[in-house]
Amino acid sequence: MRRILVLGSTGSIGVQALEVIDACPDLVACGLACGTRRHEMQAQARARGIRDTVCAAGGGSLPATDDLAELIDASEPDLVLNGLVGAAGLQPTLATLARGIPVALANKETLVAGGALVAEVQARTGAALIPVDSEHSALFQLLAAVPPERVPAIILTASGGPFRGRTIAELAHVTARDALAHPTWSMGAKITVDSATLMNKGLEVIEAHHLFEVGYERIEVVIHPQSVVHGMIRLDDGSVMAHLGPPDMRVPIGFGLRWPDAPPQHGQMPLTGRTLEFMEPDDQTFRCLGLARAAGLAGGTAPAVLNAANEVAVAAFLDGRIGFLDIAALVASALETVAAGPGNDLEAVLGADRAARAAVDEALVGAAR
Ligand code: NAD
Ligand code: MG
């Protein structure tokens, strides 16, 4: 029996993770944590006889690090599924790995903000990090099949989101409602907006850099509107290996929860009658992809600044306070104004995160005046 602590149990990933656990006889949920919707989490706990739960006090803020450490210790998990959203996921990942407990990671912001910190604690404890993000789950499996020296580049696919093909002029007036209508995936609000701006793919480039220790020049992005091919690797003989699956997060969640054992059974994916397209991303119109690459290359705390600025800007966009194109503009200006520090120092990373949030808040107040 594998005991799993589900962080973010009321979210899109958390709810699907509980579905996978419920359907798997050798998996059991031993603890739950969430940010809001406490009653929903209590109902999840009651239905499964789970005793250990934590809800962030006051909603929205990170559950006190002590509470989470206590939750990890009290619930005695064999694996922690991190389905939190935003940089709030970083410290729970670090606390788990520090205890030598493996993490199935959906929270990509962990690696964007704290990739170097994660590498450090993993080197110390040897705890595994198994990606749950669909592209990275695909790449994780592809890379396990081929010796690293045979792989000149890895390729992340992006659906392109609801605004694929639009011009800057057309994007000036799109609303949060337009952005939330994702063509192929049903997900939480923040990642859905990130998919529309292509920031999601930018965060995933940084995530892949840390997970697979691949230089940025060897990470390609290709638009693939059908979201059936999740990841590809280039081989030294000029060929490409691809991983295909239905656009259903329960597949990579199941893989992550049972790894290194065989994943749960899923029905077969129908292949015939499909068309698969691949195209170049339009990074002139969707600036966030390039901003993320630049922050990744700059290194240090720059990705933490990118991520925090994006979180605040996306929340303002969802509130109807700014336009769609303002998200990239606010992130770009935070990257210019917030001083960079070392990425392998937790205090520096948290400080950069706070400074970026303050910079965007200030810009928002200035714009509203
Ligand atoms: P969501 O908004 O649906 O759920 C987030 C969960 O985290 C909720 O349970 C919420 O209560 C909790 N939470 C938020 N802030 C918190 C805080 N400060 N303290 C404690 N709990 C907090 O988000 P989601 O779509 O499930 O995404 C979760 C993560 O998985 C994100 O990093 C996202 O990028 C990644 N991801 C999601 C999908 C998907 O299909 N939804 C796919 C790939 C990757
Ligand atoms: Mg993804």
Side-chain angles (χ1 to χ4, degrees), residues 20-219:
V20 171
I21 294 169
D22 291 346
C24 228
D26 60 350
L27 301 180
V28 63
C30 62
L32 305 175
C34 70
T36 53
R37 307 215 294 264
R38 173 194 299 271
H39 296 294
E40 218 170 293
M41 181 187 69
Q42 284 166 342
Q44 292 174 331
R46 263 196 312 278
R48 295 169 181 83
I50 300 169
R51 190 196 48 191
D52 298 305
T53 62
V54 165
C55 181
S61 66
L62 180 70
T65 318
D66 292 351
D67 286 355
L68 261 176
E70 250 174 59
L71 178 66
I72 299 171
D73 292 334
S75 60
E76 301 185 324
D78 300 305
L79 173 79
V80 173
L81 182 276
N82 188 341
L84 301 173
V85 62
L90 171 61
Q91 291 190 81
T93 301
L94 295 174
T96 304
L97 295 173
R99 287 165 167 72
I101 300 169
V103 175
L105 187 72
N107 179 260
K108 63 194 80 183
E109 295 91 342
T110 281
L111 285 170
V112 174
L117 297 165
V118 168
E120 217 170 67
V121 61
Q122 274 192 290
R124 190 151 48 77
T125 66
L129 193 63
I130 310 111
V132 167
D133 213 348
S134 55
E135 297 79 358
H136 304 73
S137 177
L139 288 167
F140 184 86
Q141 294 173 68
L142 287 167
L143 289 169
V146 183
E149 63 276 12
R150 285 213 53 210
V151 183
I154 64 176
I155 307 172
L156 294 162
T157 54
S159 72
F163 303 143
R164 182 172 56 83
R166 303 263 184 115
T167 62
I168 291 193
E170 288 166 340
L171 290 175
H173 302 292
V174 297
T175 63
R177 226 175 116 196
D178 302 328
L180 290 177
H182 196 279
T184 47
W185 295 97
S186 161
M187 313 176 285
K190 192 253 176 188
I191 183 178
T192 306
V193 175
D194 285 347
S195 300
T197 60
L198 289 198
M199 180 60 93
N200 183 51
K201 213 47 55 180
L203 300 177
E204 291 186 359
V205 167
I206 302 173
E207 180 186 16
H209 166 79
H210 290 293
L211 271 173
F212 307 124
E213 296 176 61
V214 174
Y216 286 102
E217 73 289 352
R218 292 172 53 212
I219 307 176

Side-chain angles (χ1 to χ4, degrees), residues 256-339:
L257 294 184
R258 290 208 81 238
W259 183 89
D261 299 330
Q265 292 288 309
H266 264 270
Q268 287 202 346
M269 188 185 75
L271 256 187
T272 51
R274 284 178 188 277
T275 304
L276 302 182
E277 300 169 282
F278 302 99
M279 45 202 110
E280 230 19 86
D282 173 2
D283 42 19
Q284 298 298 310
T285 306
F286 297 93
R287 290 172 61 203
C288 288
L289 182 57
L291 289 172
R293 257 188 201 280
L297 278 169
T301 52
V305 169
L306 169 97
N307 175 68
N310 180 60
E311 284 187 37
V312 179
V314 168
F317 172 68
L318 284 169
D319 276 356
R321 293 163 64 204
I322 61 170
F324 184 75
L325 297 171
D326 297 329
I327 299 174
L330 287 165
V331 171
S333 115
L335 281 169
E336 275 167 26
T337 54
V338 178

